[in-house]
Amino acid sequence: MFQKIINACVKLVQKLLPEPFIFAIILTVVAFLIAMPVCHQTPLEVVENWGNGVWSLLAFAMQMALVLVCGSTLASAPLIKRGISWLASLPKKPVGAIALVTAISSLACWLNWGFGLIVGVIFAKEIARKLQGVDYRLLIASAYSGFVVWHAGLSGSIPLTMATQGSGLKEVTRGALENPIPITDTVLSPYNIVIVALIIVALVAVNSLMHPKAEKVVSINPDLLKEDEPAKVEKGKTPAEKMENSRILSLIIAILGLTYLVIKLFFRGGSLDLNSVIMLFLFLGVILHKTPLAYVHAFTKSATGAAGILLQFPFYAGIMGIITGVGESGICLGTVISDACISVSTPTTYPLLTFLCAAVLNMFVPSGGGHWAIQAPIMFTAGANLAVDPGLTGMAISWGDAWTNLIQPFWAIPALAIAKLNAKDIMGFCIIDLVVTGIIICGGLLVWAW
């Protein structure tokens, strides 16, 4: 029965799910059509709101691109790749391979989403080269499934934003948050850690159970997964060439960057915000790639994975403009959705309904920064009125933002580009993961709020 359900999900997705860019266009049209009657806006007002939003997330888009590229570049460092190759030789059976990919990807995504997303797919590809009889689609889906713990991890944009000192925090939340919320109350809260642990265990079990029988396995020719050999860098004799291949220069700049982080985090009371995470993985990558030129080559190659983010972010920012835009009626679509959630909430159910609200919005705005802009002014104020812990409110938004990423193909683009697959190849499996993880998150938030 379980395999029949999986096969039905895979076939349904194959028929209905378009290419991610087409998906963004469809969501734009849907948001446009909803905003007019619900918010009593004219078509011209919606168009203006859309246009005003298109370029509103440029800074955040740059941060997201750098998180991805720096994480990917770090994952491609020789030391990391050797570790991946060794780990890929450990599983001897397909089910064990699926379990190991899921666990490693999930843990890596919790540490840093860009690093985890890329290292998980690279690991899956390495296993596909070494182990016969494993379903390649499920391997990649398992690597992507760990992405669901991203916003509950150390690189989650909303928890890091909440932990960042600045007047903008009070302004965005309309005075509900006057002081930063440390990550010990969000990401590192015992409740959140338990939810993350249960999800990882559940994903390992469910993904392993989803592996098809031998006659139904969709494998791939290992020769198709071969990568181009990195360009050999000749050790030159000119001063310029010597500097390009100087380990000393890489070490100097890396020590400079990492020293700054140590001072900021341990001596100046700074928080591990998004910029700090980017800096950490940037300079670790510089060290592990040894020379400046080697890092430039690896960074350039990794940058191609950010193409989908750079293309689609303006469109999702435009959708955010529709959702947050206000016409002469004074009604905002995001406010309508959030108010509907708040109107039926109690202190116990508020985090759960906030999570579900964020999950719906994530289909239209798959961006933590977008969710922050839409929900922070409303949800934190309402949460304060209900005496809900602001750390819990923030994590409810974060989990909602992360959960529906399992069926929102936007963030799968870099992984799919590396794996040479389409979104429809993996999303059928991800639907099953969506149901299982949703039950755990809902239950966890209710216990946390109790």
Side-chain angles (χ1 to χ4, degrees), residues 49-134:
N49 289 334
W50 175 82
N52 290 337
V54 165
W55 306 118
S56 62
L57 293 177
L58 283 179
F60 187 69
M62 184 63 175
Q63 287 177 311
M64 291 296 99
L66 282 175
V67 168
L68 173 62
V69 177
C70 290
S72 177
T73 305
L74 177 60
S76 68
L79 180 64
I80 302 295
K81 291 182 72 173
R82 285 197 295 271
I84 291 173
S85 180
W86 175 77
L87 285 173
S89 64
L90 295 180
K92 304 304 179 183
K93 295 182 179 181
V95 172
I98 296 298
L100 189 59
V101 165
T102 304
I104 288 179
S105 175
S106 300
L107 291 171
C109 282
W110 189 83
L111 292 172
N112 176 268
W113 73 267
F115 175 71
L117 180 62
I118 302 305
V119 79
V121 177
I122 293 174
F123 182 45
K125 286 182 64 177
E126 189 66 23
I127 285 180
R129 293 191 189 102
K130 295 177 177 291
L131 184 64
Q132 294 183 346
V134 62

Side-chain angles (χ1 to χ4, degrees), residues 247-317:
R247 295 189 180 187
I248 295 177
L249 286 179
S250 287
L251 194 59
I252 289 173
I253 195 63
I255 289 176
L256 181 65
L258 294 175
T259 300
Y260 166 77
L261 280 179
V262 170
I263 294 172
K264 174 185 175 181
L265 298 177
F266 297 100
F267 295 96
R268 302 301 183 202
S271 60
L272 189 66
D273 56 21
L274 192 56
N275 290 335
S276 298
V277 170
I278 294 171
M279 184 173 282
L280 176 63
F281 282 89
L282 169 64
F283 291 113
L284 284 178
V286 169
I287 289 177
L288 293 179
H289 280 283
K290 297 182 180 179
T291 69
L293 192 58
Y295 188 78
V296 168
H297 288 165
F299 191 93
T300 301
K301 186 176 180 180
S302 298
T304 58
I309 293 176
L310 298 177
L311 171 63
Q312 295 187 41
F313 235 99
F315 291 90
Y316 282 106

Side-chain angles (χ1 to χ4, degrees), residues 289-421:
H289 280 283
K290 297 182 180 179
T291 69
L293 192 58
Y295 188 78
V296 168
H297 288 165
F299 191 93
T300 301
K301 186 176 180 180
S302 298
T304 58
I309 293 176
L310 298 177
L311 171 63
Q312 295 187 41
F313 235 99
F315 291 90
Y316 282 106
I319 296 173
M320 190 182 80
I322 295 175
I323 293 175
T324 59
V326 178
E328 290 187 4
S329 64
I331 301 175
C332 163
L333 183 56
T335 302
V336 171
I337 297 173
S338 299
D339 285 347
C341 164
I342 295 169
S343 65
V344 295
S345 295
T346 66
T348 301
T349 62
Y350 180 73
L352 174 60
L353 293 173
T354 298
F355 158 73
L356 295 174
C357 176
V360 173
L361 284 173
N362 186 60
M363 296 301 296
F364 295 90
V365 187
S367 156
H371 280 259
W372 180 256
I374 294 169
Q375 293 193 282
I378 304 166
M379 293 306 192
F380 283 98
T381 301
N385 292 335
L386 291 170
V388 176
D389 176 15
L392 174 54
T393 299
M395 290 311 300
I397 298 172
S398 297
W399 275 115
D401 186 17
W403 182 50
T404 43
N405 280 334
L406 286 170
I407 55 172
Q408 220 297 0
F410 177 70
W411 293 110
I413 294 171
L416 294 170
I418 295 172
K420 300 178 182 179
L421 290 178

